Amino acid sequence: MAETLATHPGAPLGAEAAHGAEPEHGGGKRRDFLKLVTGAFAVVGTGAIVWPFISSMNPSRDVLALSTTEVDLSPIQVGQAVTVVWRGKPVFVRHRTQQDIEAAQQVPVSELRDPQTDAQRVIKPEWLVMIGICTHLGCVPLGQKPTDPHGDYGGWFCPCHGSHYDTSGRIRKGPAPKNLVVPPYTFTSDTQIRIG
Amino acid sequence: MASGLHQSDFKNPVVRWIDARLPVFTMMEKEYGTFPTPRNFNYLWNFGALAMVTLLIMIATGIFLAMNYTPHVNHAFDSVERIMRDVNYGWLLRYVHANGASMFFIVVYVHIWRGLYYGSYKAPRELLWMLGVVIFLLMMATAFMGYVLPWGQMSFWGATVITNLFSAIPLVGDSIVTWLWGGFSVDNPTLNRFFSLHYLLPFVIVGVVFLHVAALHITGSNNPLGIDPKGPQDTVPFHPYYTVKDSVGLVAYFVVFAVLVFFFPNLLGHPDNYIPANPLVTPPHIVPEWYFLPYYAILRAVPNKLGGVVLMFSSILILFVLPWLDTSPVRSMRFRPIARIALLLWTVAFFVLMWCGSQPPEGIAVVLARIGTAYYFAYFLVILPLLGRLERTLPLPESISRPVLRGGGPLPAGAAVKPMEKA
Ligand code: HEM
Ligand code: FES
């Protein structure tokens, strides 16, 4: 390259190179700067245009609005369970028996995959409220009806890939990584809760 | 001939007028008429063309189904029943589309297997192969979203389980799943976007198939011997030789397809999908469509959520690097006595996994799924790299035409070329 320039000083290529040679330093820098700024603007601009598309796929305002559910607890007898819907998901509300509660409280926390005491999962020990969605891949575990399978720990059993939950809804066996999730809820009276 | 126009030799003046300005006829003639193709194809080489035809059938039936389908959680199931009962020939459109998906996967599985057996993934066809894997991934995404549209129990719970796979991603997993759903569970926003994408992706597939075929026409086709054509005596023009051979295969294929559609239209489906979706009750035993079963078995073979998901995706992504895992210079398994057995065992493992995926996750099914998964990966990651170094391959024939034309007997040098050049 250098040789070509040296031997053909009058050729267009050489002329151009020679022309560029003097302000080369400043010119090169200015061009790099312009390229960088243009590139940066293009990236930011593309991001700004893509974002609304991505964001439009997130939950919309009307979906977010359906976010509380009230449950009347008075008709639920000891040992019974009901399933209510909150944000399109099933929520298990179980009126636990004394045996259920004791079984849940006696488990050493160190044995658990997702360590939580029973007390951390309830407001009142006789009422267990949790989202009825297996933390593995989202099936609804069985165990709400007395005739359902309850798994090896007397709670819930997920038929999809075989996860077993105990009487506190904690994962004990199978592929699920976490305990059944306890949703935010409050007692609005002795026999009424509001989920969400 | 005016300057700037393409020199066209077609006799028909209209064709010539168009061809001179837009040489599509010349291109078709070059790529599908005179295109030199190895003379020794067997019927496994039909399956690329069969895949192409099936793709067109899926697009055609799909567009007409969409004219009567309603993508709303309250109407989707009923609109499909209406297609089945009230729309003229709606039952035909739907059964062809549903069974067409199964036929598509059968065809593409054979097509991929053909590539595995004859080493079509090796240099110089690596990119062609990788584009094929892209097509396969797009097909899986399309089929999965299509299965959600009738909004039956299996639609709903299949969608729930598969979208939840992404929740295994550390930190951002749950946000990604919410984003995929457009809500807090699989619901109307999910159904809407799946319909939109199910309509879109087949056309993306058409685009990638175009690239796949363009790449094929640069390297030329592989063949059952896995050796390169050495000259015109080793090839025949695509038309009429392979247009005819492909047509024969196509007729046989349509017979099978028609028997499925007209006599066993629900054989490969699941009866639970005729129950409308119920977000509060998971069916006691959920299974994906048959063509996803092997991957589903791999997912469940691991008693760990993230591990299972990673392994499942790797089982397909590994195909992308296969051209570099198999280091043997010999393409066709005909000349690889050990690799051939290893591949046949891999095929067995694939079917065993398919069976395991259809069973409840307990007992022998779990054990077999683990063995099958181990072998599936070992074939790619251990056996092929080792065999590339250790295997003693059989001697390759000198050319494609020699064993075909002369029963394998040796010929004086140069004599092999002449008789063919007249033909
Ligand atoms: C929609 C799906 C597909 C279509 C329409 C399609 C179409 C075709 C066609 C028309 C051919 C030429 C004819 C033949 O050799 O059989 C071909 C060749 C080929 N395809 Fe595909 N293909 C599809 C999917 C795939 C997939 C999923 C893979 C691999 C993962 C793949 C790998 C190959 C390879 C390696 C070749 C060259 C084969 C050879 O010459 O031996 N294709 N394809
Ligand atoms: S979804 Fe419950 S075990 Fe997989």
Side-chain angles (χ1 to χ4, degrees):
Chain A
M1 188 64 184
E3 223 174 60
T4 326
L5 295 186
T7 48
H8 304 283
L13 180 65
E16 219 176 76
H19 175 76
E22 207 212 328
E24 165 88 49
H25 235 66
K29 265 194 186 160
R30 194 160 61 214
R31 202 161 287 185
D32 285 351
F33 176 75
L34 286 173
K35 272 189 199 160
L36 266 172
V37 170
T38 315
F41 267 88
V43 168
V44 172
T46 312
I49 291 166
V50 168
W51 178 247
F53 288 85
I54 308 251
S55 178
S56 77
M57 288 177 70
N58 260 325
S60 57
R61 260 166 271 182
D62 62 319
V63 171
L64 291 172
L66 301 168
S67 52
T68 61
T69 301
E70 307 263 340
V71 190
D72 178 9
L73 301 177
S74 51
I76 310 170
Q77 303 298 309
V78 177
Q80 270 189 339
V82 296
T83 306
V84 296
V85 181
W86 173 63
R87 286 177 160 187
K89 301 177 191 217
V91 172
F92 294 168
V93 181
R94 158 150 254 147
H95 196 166
R96 295 194 295 181
T97 63
Q98 207 50 43
Q99 293 99 293
D100 285 344
I101 298 171
E102 276 162 23
Q105 288 173 342
Q106 276 157 14
V107 183
V109 175
S110 57
E111 258 179 37
L112 298 172
R113 181 177 304 170
D114 180 11
Q116 260 187 327
T117 62
D118 187 57
Q120 285 171 298
R121 298 179 49 79
V122 290
I123 296 176
K124 297 184 182 177
E126 57 275 30
W127 294 105
L128 178 63
V129 178
M130 52 192 191
I131 298 178
I133 291 189
C134 181
T135 57
H136 181 228
L137 295 175
C139 293
V140 178
L142 298 171
Q144 285 293 82
K145 294 193 205 113
T147 50
D148 281 349
H150 294 275
D152 295 356
Y153 298 86
W156 287 263
F157 170 71
C158 182
C160 290
H161 317 96
S163 289
H164 300 250
Y165 296 91
D166 66 14
T167 54
S168 188
R170 292 172 298 197
I171 179 67
R172 303 300 292 276
K173 186 175 161 195
K178 295 271 180 209
N179 302 333
L180 291 177
V181 174
V182 176
Y185 69 95
T186 47
F187 277 86
T188 49
S189 74
D190 267 358
T191 57
Q192 177 102 8
I193 55 169
R194 180 193 293 134
I195 307 171
Chain B
M1 172 108 337
S3 70
L5 286 184
H6 171 76
Q7 171 70 46
S8 180
D9 301 325
F10 284 94
K11 296 228 167 55
N12 182 315
V14 179
V15 170
R16 190 170 60 238
W17 187 89
I18 296 174
D19 198 52
R21 285 155 182 81
L22 181 70
V24 282
F25 293 98
T26 303
M27 192 193 92
M28 284 307 285
E29 176 65 19
K30 175 162 168 280
E31 305 298 346
Y32 285 102
T34 55
F35 190 67
T37 317
R39 60 188 305 136
N40 58 334
F41 276 2
N42 56 32
Y43 274 102
L44 285 173
W45 264 260
N46 273 357
F47 285 81
L50 296 184
M52 200 113 86
V53 171
T54 313
L55 180 59
L56 297 181
I57 293 176
M58 295 307 283
I59 290 178
T61 49
I63 288 175
F64 283 83
L65 285 172
M67 293 180 190
N68 284 294
Y69 170 77
T70 315
H72 187 282
V73 287
N74 294 341
H75 306 292
F77 188 89
D78 293 342
S79 74
V80 171
E81 282 311 301
R82 186 180 150 267
I83 289 172
M84 294 299 287
R85 293 157 200 237
D86 296 343
V87 175
N88 296 337
Y89 294 102
W91 59 273
L92 182 62
L93 293 172
R94 169 148 187 263
Y95 277 154
V96 169
H97 197 77
N99 288 287
S102 284
M103 294 306 285
F104 204 179
F105 276 92
I106 292 175
V107 163
V108 167
Y109 278 140
V110 175
H111 189 67
I112 295 175
W113 190 87
R114 185 277 317 261
L116 291 174
Y117 190 85
Y118 295 108
S120 300
Y121 49 85
K122 292 188 189 182
R125 298 186 183 81
E126 305 96 319
L127 190 57
L128 167 59
W129 169 262
M130 292 162 83
L131 287 166
V133 181
V134 171
I135 294 170
F136 182 47
L137 286 170
L138 287 169
M139 266 178 74
M140 297 213 278
T142 310
F144 159 65
M145 290 194 267
Y147 194 64
V148 176
L149 302 183
W151 210 243
Q153 271 291 65
M154 281 296 161
S155 303
F156 183 89
W157 291 102
T160 298
V161 168
I162 301 299
T163 46
N164 263 304
L165 292 178
F166 294 90
S167 71
I169 301 170
L171 301 180
V172 290
D174 287 328
S175 320
I176 291 185
V177 174
T178 303
W179 177 74
L180 288 173
W181 287 340
F184 302 102
S185 59
V186 172
D187 207 331
N188 200 45
T190 326
L191 179 60
N192 269 290
R193 63 190 58 188
F194 277 18
F195 181 52
S196 168
L197 293 173
H198 184 70
Y199 211 132
L200 168 71
L201 287 190
F203 295 92
V204 177
I205 295 180
V206 169
V208 185
V209 167
F210 179 83
L211 297 179
H212 185 74
V213 173
L216 174 73
H217 283 215
I218 296 296
T219 62
S221 293
N222 189 23
N223 65 77
L225 294 176
I227 57 176
D228 294 329
K230 302 266 178 343
Q233 73 281 8
D234 287 345
T235 63
V236 289
F238 191 84
H239 180 75
Y241 292 93
Y242 288 120
T243 44
V244 167
K245 189 162 181 145
D246 280 347
S247 305
V248 173
L250 199 58
V251 171
Y253 174 64
F254 280 157
V255 171
V256 177
F257 201 148
V259 168
L260 198 58
V261 167
F262 292 108
F263 295 97
F264 309 99
N266 289 309
L267 179 69
L268 298 171
H270 197 293
D272 276 14
N273 223 26
Y274 284 106
I275 304 171
N278 179 351
L280 300 186
V281 180
T282 308
H285 178 213
I286 64 163
V287 281
E289 302 92 293
W290 69 266
Y291 37 82
F292 292 143
L293 289 174
Y295 315 105
Y296 194 57
I298 292 175
L299 170 77
R300 300 189 309 182
V302 192
N304 171 294
K305 179 168 167 178
L306 183 59
V309 172
V310 167
L311 217 58
M312 188 188 76
F313 282 110
S314 322
S315 68
I316 303 194
L317 298 182
I318 201 167
L319 293 175
F320 278 114
V321 288
L322 172 59
W324 295 274
L325 292 174
D326 182 355
T327 50
S328 170
V330 174
R331 290 197 192 105
S332 174
M333 292 279 177
R334 279 198 194 171
F335 306 105
R336 303 188 60 189
I338 305 178
R340 175 168 54 192
I341 294 170
L343 176 62
L344 292 180
L345 284 176
W346 180 89
T347 315
V348 172
F350 188 82
F351 283 111
V352 168
L353 285 172
M354 192 179 272
W355 177 80
C356 294
S358 72
Q359 299 300 306
E362 53 204 22
I364 185 78
V366 176
V367 179
L368 281 175
R370 291 194 179 147
I371 298 173
T373 305
Y375 187 79
Y376 182 104
F377 284 98
Y379 174 75
F380 293 116
L381 294 174
V382 183
I383 298 178
L384 282 182
L386 279 183
L387 286 185
R389 283 200 232 154
L390 305 179
E391 188 179 30
R392 281 197 60 161
T393 54
L394 306 177
L396 293 176
E398 269 168 62
S399 76
I400 293 175
S401 57
R402 181 159 299 184
V404 177
L405 296 180
R406 299 285 153 175
L411 281 176
V417 181
K418 277 198 178 139
M420 276 320 298
E421 276 177 346
K422 282 184 208 149

